């Protein structure tokens, strides 16, 4: 609030202080929430297992196909696990820059 008031004192309008001060401070929190929401949705198994049909599968429900009556196919399941983790890892590394920037940008200098 004090940073927005300082922008108003410097001559910004309320709209400019929102876009130049408020939004850059809020972006890291929004990015962090989006990354966590993506990872939670990407790895969701229970709802995907209940809501999918026999013709359509999501990636987490494909894992159960590797566990059969005769045994488990660990090599194929491991390969699928690695491939399914790649989007989450890429998104996490891209968002890391914004999270660190937000931590340092939010500091008030005195």
């Amino acid at each position: 609030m004090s940073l927005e008031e300082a922008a108003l004192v410097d001559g910004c309008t309320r709209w400019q202080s929102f876009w130049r001060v408020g939004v850059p401070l809020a972006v890291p929190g929004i990015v962090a929430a989006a990354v966590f929401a993506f990872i939670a949705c990407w790895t969701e198994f229970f709802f995907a297992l209940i809501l999918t049909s026999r013709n359509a599968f999501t990636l987490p429900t494909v894992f159960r196909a590797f566990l059969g009556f005769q045994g488990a196919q660990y090599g194929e399941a491991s390969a699928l696990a690695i491939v399914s983790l790649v989007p989450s890892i890429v998104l996490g590394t891209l968002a890391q820059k914004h999270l660190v920037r937000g931590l340092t940008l939010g500091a008030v200098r005195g």
Side-chain angles (χ1 to χ4, degrees), residues 1-109:
M1 192 72 183
S2 63
L3 292 174
E4 289 181 2
E5 290 174 356
L8 291 173
V9 169
D10 288 341
C12 290
T13 63
R14 289 205 180 268
W15 188 251
Q16 287 174 336
S17 68
F18 172 73
W19 280 106
R20 292 184 181 181
V21 176
V23 171
L25 290 174
V27 165
I30 294 169
V31 168
V35 167
F36 290 137
F38 174 77
I39 291 171
C41 292
W42 187 256
T43 59
E44 180 61 43
F45 178 75
F46 180 69
F47 287 124
L49 183 64
I50 299 299
L51 297 176
T52 56
S53 66
R54 294 182 189 266
N55 298 328
F57 294 105
T58 60
L59 190 60
T61 58
V62 175
F63 282 110
R64 70 183 169 133
F66 293 115
L67 299 174
F69 181 70
Q70 298 293 327
Q73 299 171 341
Y74 293 115
E76 290 85 356
S78 298
L80 183 62
I82 296 297
V83 169
S84 68
L85 287 176
V86 168
S88 298
I89 291 171
V90 168
L91 187 64
T93 55
L94 292 175
Q96 181 181 6
K97 177 182 75 169
H98 294 288
L99 294 175
V100 172
R101 181 176 172 259
L103 290 172
T104 58
L105 188 65
V108 178
R109 296 182 189 116

